[in-house]
Amino acid sequence: MSSNSSALQRLRKCLFLAVFLTMQGVHGGPASGASTDSEFGSFEIARLTGAQVPFLVGVPIDQIAAFACDDGGCHVIASQIDERDQFLHWVLDTGPQTGTDDDPGRFDSTDELIFRAVDAGLTRNPPGALPGEVVAELRLIDPIGQTRWAYLAKVAPASVQTAPSAALSYDPDADRLSGAGVVLGFTDGVPQFLTLNDGPNLLDRLKIRASATALFGLLRFLRTEDDLQTEFLGWRRGPLRLIRAQRQRVRLGWGVRSPAFVSYTYFYGDHAEMPVGFRLNFPPTYFFGDVRVKAILDFRDLRGWEIWTPGVPAPLRITGEMSADKQSLGNSDNHWVILRGPESELALRFDVSPSLVVARRRLSYDERQTSGEAPDPVAGSLPAVGFEIDRWEPVAAGSHELCAAAYLLPAQADEAEFVRRHDAPLRLDIAEKRTVPAP
């Protein structure tokens, strides 16, 4: 019996090592290029890397400015350039591990420039209207809105500077990011604090639950967010966003940990993105069966609020009890959920990379007062909203990404219009354009 038990322990250890050692961390940043969202508002961020504007590579960052034009002329718009190091990790301003770029202070092919699409102009640049040397003309094409224009110009050093936004701040002691009416906080690397408009904490925690079977279903394994070991790396604050970085490992048991991976939170003041990227050297079902992954935002108590998703005839009131209509939410493939409060609304988007579309993704919704699932700090799901991914058999080896995003909307917002505009693809055309410097 002792020999069999020892052999079983060795088998379980080898199985866990086999699956987790195939997962190599990749930076959790959004893909380069324009955002796939299309609303011309504060939520829409246009982004491009140095590789997309090679004629700007090598230019000092403090000599690059973004402009927009209207009938009254051209003016500077807020923009931000974030540098990446040789490992494609963001170079941070403050913290235990800030890192350095291989060519600090200069725009290189992996650095990223961002600006708000709503700040782009409706007027194309008249010749000589911009200061300095215009090196890039950007056309933002919205299929259900207006085409806008922005320009990147090489200007005199430090002649145009955009200071970090006063609305964006970070408290490293409390590990909380603050914006315009929003505060998002972490505990041991897991989001467990969310306030809107100076209200109470609404969030129990972000829950990650992964399970799988082995030995033809005889063994079943479960890992939660409490099995994550987190090392805080630092943060970076600019005019438009704050980047928070941490390194994580998964505790597998028997003193074994998975390889480390870096994850980022992108905080824009009125919305946030939390992507998690990973790489599989083997298909996920190579060693395991019945693989299930849940990513859920568990709220403390939103009774009195309403929940709406696309396709639902009318919003459903959150009462702490499940109904047939609420049960049906869990069978949908919606990736949008909007929580309607008395003073504001919280739009939640759950998305996956194209490599994971072949798996089955379903909305997960639970609303019960008495249920509790360790290691939740607060018992109950009032509600718990997220998604579950199963049927991983078609998923291949390679890089994959899960992403949760949240947006603060005003009360009585047109949710259907917001979702429609946000899901339409935005195209960013880039053309080299050089003009004689204006007097």
Side-chain angles (χ1 to χ4, degrees), residues 324-336:
D325 290 337
K326 294 173 183 176
Q327 291 280 3
S328 65
L329 294 177
N331 296 321
S332 73
D333 59 357
N334 273 324
H335 55 268
W336 280 105

Side-chain angles (χ1 to χ4, degrees), residues 252-276:
L252 307 179
W254 311 287
V256 179
R257 300 181 300 173
S258 74
F261 59 94
V262 177
S263 63
Y264 296 98
T265 297
Y266 302 90
F267 187 77
Y268 296 88
D270 56 4
H271 69 286
E273 301 167 352
M274 291 176 284
V276 176

